[in-house]
Amino acid sequence: MDEPADPEADRPPPQDDHAFLGHPRGLATLSGLEVWERFSFLGMQAILVLYFADTVADGGLGMDPGTAASVSAAYGTMVYLVSVAGGWLADRILGSYRAVLWGGILIACGHYAMAVPTATMTWVGLGLISAGTGLLKPNVATMVGKLYRTDDDRRDAGFALYYMAINIGAFAGPLVTGWLGEHEGWHWGFSAAAAVGMTAGLIQYVLGRRHLAGRKHSAEYALAPDALRRAVWWIVGGALAFAALATALALVGWLTMGRFVDLLTLVSVIAPIAYFVVMFRSPRVTREERGRLRPYVVLFLASVAFNFILFQAYSTMMLLASTNAESTILGFDFPSSWYASALGAFEVALAPVVAALWARMGHRQPHASNKIAIGVILGGLSFLLMVIPTSGHDGDAYKMAAWWIVGSYLLLGLGDVLLETSGMSATSKLAPRAFGSQTMALWFLSLALANGIQAQVVKLYGQVSNPVYFGLNGAVAVAAGVVVMAMAPWLRRTMHPVH
């Protein structure tokens, strides 16, 4: 399944390649893969917290809402932590093309495993999906960046179209998994269609590989043979030692689910700090590249602030929707998990509008840091909006109108399009050459940190009033966005060649 060695494999396509909606043909191949990856991942995320919180008699795991949200967030933390290893493996061993291919295979296997209706196979499936997503996610985004030259004005628009494809999957996934989960059982929702769809995505990825940059047979910065053998031994040995230690601690009763969640949060804090230190000190990073990493720290923290809100669309917002929101429109009853599809629908609708706007404005478009700041502010406002319908109504008997949650997801969707497309594009331009895939993995590490923080904060859900919970979280995000906007003059000076 690997492409033979090709001296042209990592050369960006010519700037006159406009075969896919004015963009390189490889964008269609990578976007098609991401449709199915997000279909499976976010479709599962939409019902995962509901499965954790459902009673054992109804096929769930019987967790209380706060714990269910915390464990769901911890799973997200693990997924994005693995992205760091995925970026390193692509840069040093596998190459981007093969990392994405094997990641997709692991994801498909994980969903097939979750077809088995046992708690054990659920955790096995989640582990496989975590490993696969960590390989696939950062490296697909890196390959999108390689389709464009640094000074190509289509670059941000291309990432916006790519993000639109992501959210086609985000829209369709919860519709299918939500219906299957409610009518056929949670494990049908986790596995049916997602595994088949991921397999279809892999087939079109392999068939379209000739249009991709970054499809080299070997890694761009491959380890020397001796170093490669040592790395393989360390990876295999470390994985086995970790599994043995975790099993032993679980058997003696020390490694409880709560402690595992806390451990993941701790790792999500330490990992980005360590990674930034390694990159700043690496002899492979030039002085000019090191200067561009400093403003990247600010963008990283902005991503944390926004995604802390975004990921709760699949945890606390799902719990709120299942207990306190109407699930009937014009006499039609729908699963509460379908609310998650509204987020994907808005992003599908808004991404091409944003892409067209940036393409039309060209060099006159707002600076990337301002796009990111506005995105963070919109994310905070989406939570502040929820203060209105939840005020004075903490009981389950009260049902808010569907349009409140839909309106919240509209703000969140627009913020996500602005922040993620600009953030991924800026990351691909600011990344040191020797850390290309790993810097994109670092962007996803901001998602791990957001999930790690969320895993602790959501424990308060149900312990404090809903207006206080959503109001405080939203206010913090708005404040973070304002700070980034205030730093715009310094960011514009230091983020060259990002505009």
Coordinates of all heavy atoms in Angstrom, one line a residue, residues 137-217:
K137 N -4.5 12.3 12.6 CA -5.0 13.7 12.7 C -3.9 14.7 12.4 O -4.1 15.6 11.5 CB -5.7 13.9 14.0 CG -6.5 15.1 14.1 CD -7.7 15.1 13.2 CE -8.6 16.3 13.4 NZ -9.6 16.4 12.3
P138 N -2.8 14.7 13.1 CA -1.8 15.8 12.8 C -1.2 15.7 11.5 O -0.8 16.7 10.9 CB -0.8 15.6 14.0 CG -0.9 14.2 14.3 CD -2.3 13.8 14.2
N139 N -1.0 14.5 11.0 CA -0.3 14.3 9.7 C -1.2 14.6 8.5 O -0.6 15.1 7.5 CB 0.2 12.9 9.7 CG 1.2 12.6 10.8 OD1 2.2 13.4 10.9 ND2 1.0 11.6 11.6
V140 N -2.5 14.4 8.6 CA -3.3 14.9 7.5 C -3.2 16.4 7.3 O -3.1 16.9 6.2 CB -4.8 14.5 7.7 CG1 -5.7 15.1 6.6 CG2 -4.9 12.9 7.6
A141 N -3.3 17.1 8.5 CA -3.3 18.6 8.4 C -1.9 19.0 7.9 O -1.8 20.0 7.1 CB -3.5 19.1 9.8
T142 N -0.8 18.3 8.3 CA 0.5 18.7 7.7 C 0.5 18.5 6.2 O 1.1 19.3 5.5 CB 1.6 17.8 8.4 OG1 1.6 18.1 9.8 CG2 2.9 18.1 7.9
M143 N -0.1 17.4 5.7 CA -0.1 17.2 4.3 C -0.9 18.2 3.5 O -0.6 18.6 2.4 CB -0.6 15.8 4.0 CG 0.3 14.7 4.5 SD -0.3 13.0 4.3 CE -0.1 12.8 2.5
V144 N -2.0 18.7 4.2 CA -2.7 19.8 3.5 C -1.8 21.1 3.4 O -1.8 21.7 2.3 CB -3.9 20.2 4.4 CG1 -4.6 21.5 3.9 CG2 -5.0 19.1 4.4
G145 N -1.0 21.4 4.4 CA -0.1 22.5 4.3 C 0.9 22.3 3.2 O 1.3 23.3 2.6
K146 N 1.4 21.1 2.9 CA 2.4 20.8 1.9 C 1.8 21.0 0.5 O 2.6 21.0 -0.5 CB 2.9 19.5 2.1 CG 3.8 19.3 3.3 CD 4.4 17.9 3.4 CE 5.3 17.8 4.6 NZ 5.9 16.4 4.8
L147 N 0.5 21.1 0.4 CA -0.1 21.3 -1.0 C 0.1 22.8 -1.5 O -0.1 23.0 -2.7 CB -1.6 21.1 -0.9 CG -2.0 19.6 -0.6 CD1 -3.5 19.5 -0.5 CD2 -1.6 18.7 -1.8
Y148 N 0.5 23.7 -0.6 CA 0.6 25.1 -0.9 C 2.0 25.6 -0.6 O 2.6 25.2 0.4 CB -0.4 25.9 -0.1 CG -1.8 25.5 -0.3 CD1 -2.4 24.6 0.5 CD2 -2.6 26.1 -1.3 CE1 -3.8 24.2 0.3 CE2 -3.9 25.7 -1.5 CZ -4.5 24.8 -0.7 OH -5.8 24.4 -0.9
R149 N 2.4 26.5 -1.4 CA 3.6 27.3 -1.1 C 3.3 28.3 0.0 O 2.2 28.7 0.2 CB 4.2 28.0 -2.3 CG 4.5 27.1 -3.5 CD 5.2 27.8 -4.6 NE 5.3 26.9 -5.8 CZ 6.3 26.0 -6.0 NH1 7.2 26.0 -5.1 NH2 6.3 25.2 -7.0
T150 N 4.3 28.7 0.8 CA 4.1 29.5 2.0 C 3.4 30.9 1.6 O 2.6 31.4 2.3 CB 5.5 29.8 2.7 OG1 6.1 28.6 3.0 CG2 5.2 30.7 3.9
D151 N 3.8 31.4 0.4 CA 3.2 32.7 0.0 C 2.0 32.6 -0.9 O 1.5 33.6 -1.5 CB 4.3 33.5 -0.8 CG 4.8 32.8 -2.0 OD1 4.4 31.6 -2.2 OD2 5.5 33.4 -2.8
D152 N 1.4 31.4 -0.9 CA 0.1 31.2 -1.7 C -1.1 31.7 -1.0 O -1.4 31.3 0.2 CB 0.0 29.7 -2.0 CG -1.1 29.4 -3.0 OD1 -2.0 30.2 -3.2 OD2 -1.0 28.3 -3.7
D153 N -1.7 32.7 -1.5 CA -2.9 33.4 -0.9 C -4.1 32.4 -0.7 O -5.0 32.7 0.0 CB -3.3 34.6 -1.7 CG -2.4 35.8 -1.5 OD1 -1.7 35.8 -0.5 OD2 -2.4 36.7 -2.4
R154 N -4.0 31.3 -1.4 CA -5.1 30.3 -1.3 C -5.0 29.5 0.0 O -5.9 28.7 0.3 CB -5.1 29.4 -2.5 CG -5.3 30.0 -3.8 CD -5.3 29.0 -5.0 NE -3.9 28.3 -5.0 CZ -3.7 27.2 -5.6 NH1 -4.6 26.6 -6.3 NH2 -2.5 26.7 -5.6
R155 N -3.9 29.6 0.7 CA -3.6 28.7 1.8 C -4.7 28.7 2.9 O -5.2 27.6 3.2 CB -2.3 29.1 2.4 CG -1.7 28.0 3.3 CD -0.4 28.6 3.9 NE 0.3 27.5 4.7 CZ 1.2 26.7 4.2 NH1 1.6 26.8 2.9 NH2 1.8 25.8 5.0
D156 N -5.1 29.8 3.4 CA -6.1 29.9 4.5 C -7.4 29.4 3.9 O -8.2 28.7 4.6 CB -6.2 31.3 5.1 CG -5.1 31.6 6.1 OD1 -4.2 30.8 6.2 OD2 -5.3 32.6 6.8
A157 N -7.7 29.8 2.7 CA -9.0 29.3 2.1 C -9.0 27.8 1.9 O -10.0 27.2 2.1 CB -9.2 30.0 0.7
G158 N -7.8 27.3 1.6 CA -7.7 25.8 1.4 C -8.0 25.1 2.8 O -8.7 24.1 2.8
F159 N -7.4 25.6 3.8 CA -7.7 25.0 5.2 C -9.1 25.2 5.5 O -9.7 24.3 6.2 CB -6.8 25.7 6.2 CG -5.5 24.9 6.4 CD1 -4.3 25.4 5.8 CD2 -5.4 23.8 7.1 CE1 -3.1 24.7 5.9 CE2 -4.2 23.1 7.3 CZ -3.0 23.6 6.7
A160 N -9.8 26.3 5.1 CA -11.2 26.5 5.4 C -12.0 25.4 4.7 O -13.0 24.9 5.3 CB -11.7 27.9 5.0
L161 N -11.7 25.1 3.4 CA -12.4 24.1 2.7 C -12.1 22.7 3.3 O -13.0 21.9 3.4 CB -12.0 24.1 1.2 CG -12.5 25.2 0.4 CD1 -11.8 25.2 -1.0 CD2 -14.0 25.1 0.2
Y162 N -10.9 22.5 3.7 CA -10.6 21.2 4.4 C -11.4 21.1 5.7 O -11.9 20.0 6.0 CB -9.1 21.2 4.7 CG -8.6 20.2 5.7 CD1 -8.5 18.9 5.4 CD2 -8.1 20.6 7.0 CE1 -8.0 17.9 6.3 CE2 -7.6 19.7 7.9 CZ -7.6 18.4 7.5 OH -7.1 17.5 8.4
Y163 N -11.5 22.2 6.4 CA -12.3 22.2 7.7 C -13.8 22.0 7.4 O -14.5 21.4 8.2 CB -12.0 23.4 8.5 CG -12.1 23.2 10.0 CD1 -11.2 22.3 10.6 CD2 -13.1 23.7 10.7 CE1 -11.3 22.1 11.9 CE2 -13.2 23.4 12.1 CZ -12.3 22.6 12.7 OH -12.4 22.3 14.0
M164 N -14.2 22.5 6.2 CA -15.6 22.2 5.9 C -15.9 20.7 5.7 O -16.9 20.2 6.1 CB -16.0 23.0 4.6 CG -17.4 22.7 4.1 SD -17.8 23.5 2.5 CE -16.8 22.4 1.4
A165 N -14.9 20.0 5.0 CA -15.0 18.6 4.9 C -15.0 17.9 6.2 O -15.8 16.9 6.4 CB -13.8 18.1 4.0
I166 N -14.2 18.3 7.1 CA -14.2 17.8 8.5 C -15.6 17.8 9.1 O -16.1 16.9 9.7 CB -13.2 18.5 9.4 CG1 -11.7 18.2 9.0 CG2 -13.4 18.2 10.9 CD1 -10.7 19.0 9.8
N167 N -16.2 18.9 8.9 CA -17.5 19.1 9.5 C -18.7 18.6 8.8 O -19.8 18.5 9.3 CB -17.7 20.6 9.8 CG -16.8 21.1 10.9 OD1 -16.9 20.6 12.1 ND2 -15.8 21.9 10.6
I168 N -18.5 18.1 7.5 CA -19.5 17.3 6.9 C -19.6 16.0 7.7 O -20.7 15.5 8.0 CB -19.2 17.0 5.4 CG1 -19.3 18.3 4.6 CG2 -20.1 15.9 4.8 CD1 -18.8 18.2 3.1
G169 N -18.5 15.4 8.0 CA -18.5 14.3 8.9 C -19.0 14.5 10.2 O -19.7 13.7 10.8
A170 N -18.7 15.7 10.8 CA -19.2 16.1 12.1 C -20.7 16.3 12.1 O -21.3 16.0 13.1 CB -18.5 17.4 12.6
F171 N -21.2 16.7 11.0 CA -22.7 16.8 10.9 C -23.4 15.5 10.8 O -24.4 15.2 11.4 CB -23.0 17.7 9.7 CG -24.5 17.7 9.3 CD1 -25.5 18.2 10.1 CD2 -24.8 17.0 8.1 CE1 -26.8 18.2 9.7 CE2 -26.2 17.0 7.7 CZ -27.2 17.5 8.5
A172 N -22.9 14.6 9.9 CA -23.5 13.4 9.6 C -23.3 12.3 10.7 O -24.3 11.6 11.0 CB -23.0 12.8 8.2
G173 N -22.2 12.4 11.3 CA -21.9 11.3 12.3 C -22.9 11.2 13.5 O -23.5 10.2 13.7
P174 N -23.2 12.3 14.2 CA -24.2 12.3 15.3 C -25.6 11.9 14.8 O -26.3 11.3 15.6 CB -24.2 13.7 15.9 CG -22.8 14.2 15.5 CD -22.5 13.6 14.2
L175 N -26.0 12.2 13.6 CA -27.3 11.8 13.1 C -27.4 10.3 13.0 O -28.4 9.7 13.5 CB -27.5 12.4 11.7 CG -27.6 13.9 11.6 CD1 -27.9 14.3 10.1 CD2 -28.8 14.5 12.4
V176 N -26.4 9.7 12.5 CA -26.4 8.2 12.4 C -26.2 7.5 13.7 O -27.0 6.6 14.1 CB -25.3 7.7 11.4 CG1 -25.3 6.2 11.3 CG2 -25.6 8.3 10.0
T177 N -25.2 7.9 14.5 CA -24.9 7.2 15.7 C -26.0 7.5 16.7 O -26.3 6.6 17.5 CB -23.6 7.7 16.3 OG1 -23.6 9.1 16.5 CG2 -22.4 7.3 15.4
G178 N -26.6 8.7 16.7 CA -27.6 9.0 17.7 C -28.9 8.2 17.4 O -29.5 7.7 18.4
W179 N -29.2 8.0 16.2 CA -30.4 7.2 15.9 C -30.2 5.8 16.2 O -31.0 5.1 16.8 CB -30.8 7.4 14.4 CG -32.1 6.8 14.1 CD1 -33.3 7.4 14.1 CD2 -32.4 5.4 13.7 NE1 -34.3 6.5 13.7 CE2 -33.8 5.3 13.5 CE3 -31.5 4.3 13.5 CZ2 -34.3 4.1 13.1 CZ3 -32.1 3.1 13.1 CH2 -33.5 3.0 12.9
L180 N -29.0 5.2 15.8 CA -28.7 3.8 16.1 C -28.6 3.6 17.6 O -29.0 2.6 18.1 CB -27.4 3.4 15.4 CG -27.5 3.3 13.9 CD1 -26.1 3.1 13.3 CD2 -28.3 2.1 13.5
G181 N -27.9 4.5 18.3 CA -27.8 4.4 19.7 C -29.1 4.3 20.5 O -29.3 3.5 21.4
E182 N -30.1 5.1 20.0 CA -31.4 5.2 20.7 C -32.3 4.0 20.3 O -33.0 3.5 21.1 CB -32.1 6.5 20.4 CG -33.4 6.7 21.1 CD -34.0 8.0 20.8 OE1 -33.5 9.0 21.5 OE2 -35.0 8.1 20.0
H183 N -32.2 3.6 19.0 CA -33.1 2.6 18.5 C -32.6 1.2 18.5 O -33.3 0.2 18.6 CB -33.6 2.9 17.1 CG -34.4 4.1 17.1 ND1 -33.9 5.4 17.0 CD2 -35.8 4.3 17.1 CE1 -34.9 6.3 16.9 NE2 -36.1 5.6 17.0
E184 N -31.2 1.0 18.4 CA -30.6 -0.3 18.3 C -29.7 -0.7 19.4 O -29.3 -1.8 19.6 CB -29.9 -0.5 16.9 CG -30.7 -0.2 15.7 CD -31.9 -1.2 15.5 OE1 -31.7 -2.3 16.0 OE2 -32.9 -0.9 14.9
G185 N -29.2 0.3 20.2 CA -28.3 0.1 21.3 C -27.0 0.9 21.0 O -26.6 1.2 19.9
W186 N -26.3 1.2 22.2 CA -25.2 2.1 22.1 C -24.1 1.5 21.2 O -23.4 2.2 20.5 CB -24.6 2.3 23.5 CG -25.6 3.1 24.4 CD1 -26.2 2.6 25.6 CD2 -26.1 4.4 24.2 NE1 -27.0 3.5 26.1 CE2 -27.0 4.6 25.3 CE3 -25.9 5.4 23.3 CZ2 -27.7 5.9 25.4 CZ3 -26.6 6.6 23.4 CH2 -27.5 6.8 24.5
H187 N -23.8 0.2 21.3 CA -22.7 -0.4 20.6 C -23.0 -0.4 19.1 O -22.0 -0.3 18.3 CB -22.4 -1.8 21.1 CG -21.9 -1.8 22.5 ND1 -20.6 -1.6 22.8 CD2 -22.5 -1.9 23.7 CE1 -20.4 -1.7 24.1 NE2 -21.5 -1.9 24.6
W188 N -24.2 -0.4 18.6 CA -24.5 -0.3 17.2 C -24.2 1.2 16.8 O -23.6 1.4 15.7 CB -26.0 -0.5 16.9 CG -26.3 -2.0 16.8 CD1 -26.8 -2.8 17.7 CD2 -26.1 -2.8 15.6 NE1 -26.9 -4.1 17.2 CE2 -26.5 -4.1 15.9 CE3 -25.6 -2.5 14.3 CZ2 -26.4 -5.1 14.9 CZ3 -25.5 -3.5 13.4 CH2 -25.9 -4.8 13.7
G189 N -24.5 2.1 17.7 CA -24.1 3.5 17.3 C -22.6 3.7 17.2 O -22.1 4.5 16.4
F190 N -21.9 3.0 18.1 CA -20.4 3.2 18.1 C -19.8 2.6 16.8 O -18.8 3.1 16.4 CB -19.8 2.5 19.3 CG -20.1 3.2 20.6 CD1 -20.3 2.4 21.8 CD2 -20.2 4.6 20.7 CE1 -20.6 3.0 23.0 CE2 -20.5 5.2 21.9 CZ -20.7 4.4 23.1
S191 N -20.3 1.5 16.3 CA -19.6 0.7 15.3 C -20.2 0.8 13.9 O -19.5 0.9 13.0 CB -19.5 -0.7 15.8 OG -20.8 -1.3 16.0
A192 N -21.5 0.6 13.8 CA -22.2 0.5 12.5 C -21.9 1.8 11.7 O -22.0 2.9 12.2 CB -23.6 0.2 12.7
A193 N -21.7 1.6 10.5 CA -21.4 2.7 9.5 C -20.1 3.4 9.7 O -19.4 3.7 8.8 CB -22.5 3.8 9.6
A194 N -19.6 3.6 11.0 CA -18.4 4.3 11.2 C -17.2 3.5 10.7 O -16.3 4.0 10.0 CB -18.2 4.6 12.7
A195 N -17.2 2.2 11.0 CA -16.1 1.3 10.6 C -16.1 1.2 9.0 O -15.0 1.3 8.4 CB -16.2 0.0 11.2
V196 N -17.3 1.0 8.5 CA -17.4 0.9 7.0 C -17.0 2.2 6.4 O -16.3 2.2 5.4 CB -18.8 0.5 6.6 CG1 -19.0 0.5 5.1 CG2 -19.2 -0.9 7.2
G197 N -17.4 3.3 6.9 CA -17.1 4.6 6.3 C -15.6 4.9 6.4 O -15.0 5.4 5.5
M198 N -15.0 4.5 7.5 CA -13.5 4.7 7.6 C -12.8 3.9 6.6 O -11.8 4.3 6.0 CB -13.1 4.4 9.1 CG -11.7 4.8 9.4 SD -11.5 6.6 9.5 CE -10.2 6.9 8.4
T199 N -13.3 2.7 6.4 CA -12.6 1.8 5.4 C -12.8 2.5 4.0 O -11.8 2.5 3.2 CB -13.3 0.4 5.4 OG1 -13.2 -0.1 6.7 CG2 -12.6 -0.5 4.4
A200 N -13.9 3.0 3.7 CA -14.1 3.7 2.4 C -13.2 4.9 2.2 O -12.6 5.1 1.2 CB -15.6 4.1 2.2
G201 N -13.0 5.6 3.3 CA -12.1 6.8 3.3 C -10.7 6.4 3.0 O -10.0 7.1 2.3
L202 N -10.3 5.3 3.6 CA -8.9 4.8 3.4 C -8.7 4.4 1.9 O -7.6 4.6 1.3 CB -8.6 3.6 4.3 CG -8.3 3.9 5.7 CD1 -8.3 2.6 6.6 CD2 -7.0 4.6 5.9
I203 N -9.7 3.7 1.3 CA -9.6 3.3 -0.1 C -9.4 4.5 -1.0 O -8.5 4.5 -1.9 CB -10.8 2.5 -0.5 CG1 -10.9 1.2 0.2 CG2 -10.9 2.3 -2.0 CD1 -12.1 0.4 0.1
Q204 N -10.2 5.6 -0.8 CA -10.0 6.7 -1.7 C -8.7 7.5 -1.4 O -8.2 8.1 -2.3 CB -11.3 7.7 -1.6 CG -11.4 8.4 -0.3 CD -10.7 9.7 -0.2 OE1 -10.6 10.4 -1.2 NE2 -10.2 10.0 1.0
Y205 N -8.2 7.4 -0.2 CA -6.9 8.0 0.1 C -5.8 7.3 -0.6 O -4.9 8.0 -1.2 CB -6.7 7.9 1.7 CG -5.4 8.3 2.1 CD1 -5.0 9.6 2.1 CD2 -4.5 7.4 2.7 CE1 -3.7 10.0 2.6 CE2 -3.2 7.7 3.1 CZ -2.9 9.1 3.1 OH -1.6 9.4 3.6
V206 N -5.8 6.0 -0.7 CA -4.8 5.3 -1.4 C -4.9 5.5 -2.9 O -3.9 5.7 -3.6 CB -4.9 3.8 -1.1 CG1 -3.9 3.0 -2.0 CG2 -4.6 3.5 0.4
L207 N -6.1 5.5 -3.4 CA -6.3 5.7 -4.8 C -5.9 7.1 -5.3 O -5.4 7.3 -6.4 CB -7.7 5.5 -5.2 CG -8.2 4.0 -5.1 CD1 -9.7 3.9 -5.4 CD2 -7.4 3.1 -6.0
G208 N -6.0 8.1 -4.4 CA -5.7 9.5 -4.7 C -4.3 10.0 -4.3 O -4.0 11.2 -4.4
R209 N -3.4 9.0 -3.9 CA -2.1 9.4 -3.3 C -1.2 10.1 -4.3 O -0.4 10.9 -3.9 CB -1.4 8.2 -2.8 CG -1.0 7.2 -3.8 CD -0.5 5.9 -3.1 NE 0.0 4.9 -4.0 CZ -0.8 4.0 -4.6 NH1 -2.1 4.0 -4.4 NH2 -0.3 3.1 -5.4
R210 N -1.4 9.9 -5.6 CA -0.5 10.5 -6.6 C -0.7 12.1 -6.6 O 0.2 12.8 -7.1 CB -0.8 10.0 -8.0 CG -2.1 10.3 -8.6 CD -2.3 9.6 -9.9 NE -3.6 9.8 -10.5 CZ -4.7 9.2 -10.2 NH1 -4.7 8.3 -9.2 NH2 -5.9 9.5 -10.8
H211 N -1.8 12.6 -6.0 CA -2.0 14.0 -6.0 C -1.4 14.7 -4.7 O -1.6 15.9 -4.6 CB -3.5 14.3 -6.1 CG -4.1 13.8 -7.3 ND1 -3.7 14.0 -8.6 CD2 -5.2 12.9 -7.5 CE1 -4.4 13.4 -9.5 NE2 -5.4 12.7 -8.8
L212 N -0.8 13.9 -3.9 CA -0.4 14.4 -2.6 C 1.1 14.8 -2.6 O 1.9 14.1 -3.2 CB -0.7 13.4 -1.5 CG -2.1 12.9 -1.4 CD1 -2.2 11.8 -0.3 CD2 -3.0 14.0 -1.0
A213 N 1.4 15.9 -1.9 CA 2.8 16.1 -1.4 C 3.0 15.4 -0.1 O 2.0 15.2 0.6 CB 3.1 17.6 -1.3
G214 N 4.2 15.0 0.3 CA 4.4 14.4 1.5 C 4.1 12.9 1.5 O 3.8 12.3 2.5
R215 N 4.2 12.3 0.3 CA 3.9 10.8 0.2 C 5.1 10.0 0.1 O 5.1 8.9 -0.4 CB 3.0 10.6 -1.0 CG 3.6 10.9 -2.4 CD 2.6 10.7 -3.5 NE 3.3 10.8 -4.8 CZ 3.5 11.9 -5.4 NH1 3.1 13.0 -4.9 NH2 4.1 11.9 -6.6
K216 N 6.3 10.5 0.5 CA 7.5 9.8 0.4 C 7.5 8.4 1.1 O 6.8 8.3 2.1 CB 8.7 10.6 1.0 CG 9.1 11.8 0.1 CD 10.1 12.7 0.8 CE 11.4 11.9 1.0 NZ 12.5 12.7 1.6
H217 N 8.2 7.5 0.6 CA 8.2 6.1 1.2 C 8.8 6.2 2.6 O 8.4 5.4 3.5 CB 9.1 5.2 0.3 CG 9.1 3.8 0.8 ND1 8.0 2.9 0.6 CD2 10.1 3.1 1.4 CE1 8.3 1.8 1.2 NE2 9.6 1.8 1.6

